Amino acid sequence: QVQLVESGGGSVQAGGSLRLSCVASGRTFSTYAMGWFRQAPGKEREFLASITWTEGRTDYAPSVKGRFTVSRGNARSTMFLQMNSLKPDDTGVYYCATRYRGRAEFDYWGQGTQVTVSS
């Protein structure tokens, strides 16, 4: 099993920035990719960004491309999401997730961290 712990959420004004961190522990050696998702009240969970763990290949949702950057830390079980030019629509609970090699879905999720962007 893998445990995911997120940090870095908080409240910012529109146009501000936050950096989210996700630290994975436990079974991490079979990780294919890690990703970030968010869910706003009354809305479906939304994919934001992901990074493959060996190549560092990134993928972004159009809504965050150019504003958000996903990266790996020196500790390869650490992932960051740098969020710039935040908008009120970015408000939601942000989740870190892990996708294992050979699987099509993200299998494990963190507890989530709240991001609130005020206008």
Side-chain angles (χ1 to χ4, degrees):
Q1 61 180 1
V2 62
Q3 295 80 43
L4 303 173
V5 179
E6 298 127 325
S7 62
S11 298
V12 297
Q13 291 184 324
S17 299
L18 285 173
R19 189 180 77 161
L20 306 183
S21 300
C22 174
V23 178
S25 61
R27 184 175 182 259
T28 63
F29 53 86
S30 294
T31 298
Y32 170 72
M34 296 182 67
W36 290 98
F37 297 75
R38 73 183 174 199
Q39 187 168 22
K43 297 183 179 180
E44 295 292 323
R45 187 176 60 197
E46 176 188 17
F47 167 80
L48 299 177
S50 66
I51 184 167
T52 60
W53 221 240
T54 56
E55 309 96 334
R57 185 178 70 252
T58 58
D59 187 29
Y60 296 95
S63 61
V64 304
K65 188 176 298 183
R67 298 190 299 124
F68 291 8
T69 303
V70 63
S71 61
R72 301 170 297 176
N74 290 333
R76 297 183 69 85
S77 295
T78 304
M79 177 181 64
F80 302 98
L81 184 67
Q82 178 66 45
M83 306 187 295
N84 299 325
S85 301
L86 284 164
K87 307 173 182 179
D89 286 347
D90 293 320
T91 294
V93 179
Y94 283 66
Y95 296 93
C96 172
T98 296
R99 175 183 171 186
Y100 284 149
R101 293 174 181 172
R103 299 189 63 85
E105 303 290 338
F106 288 85
D107 299 309
Y108 298 95
W109 302 83
Q111 63 180 355
T113 184
Q114 177 71 41
V115 172
T116 302
V117 184
S118 61
S119 60

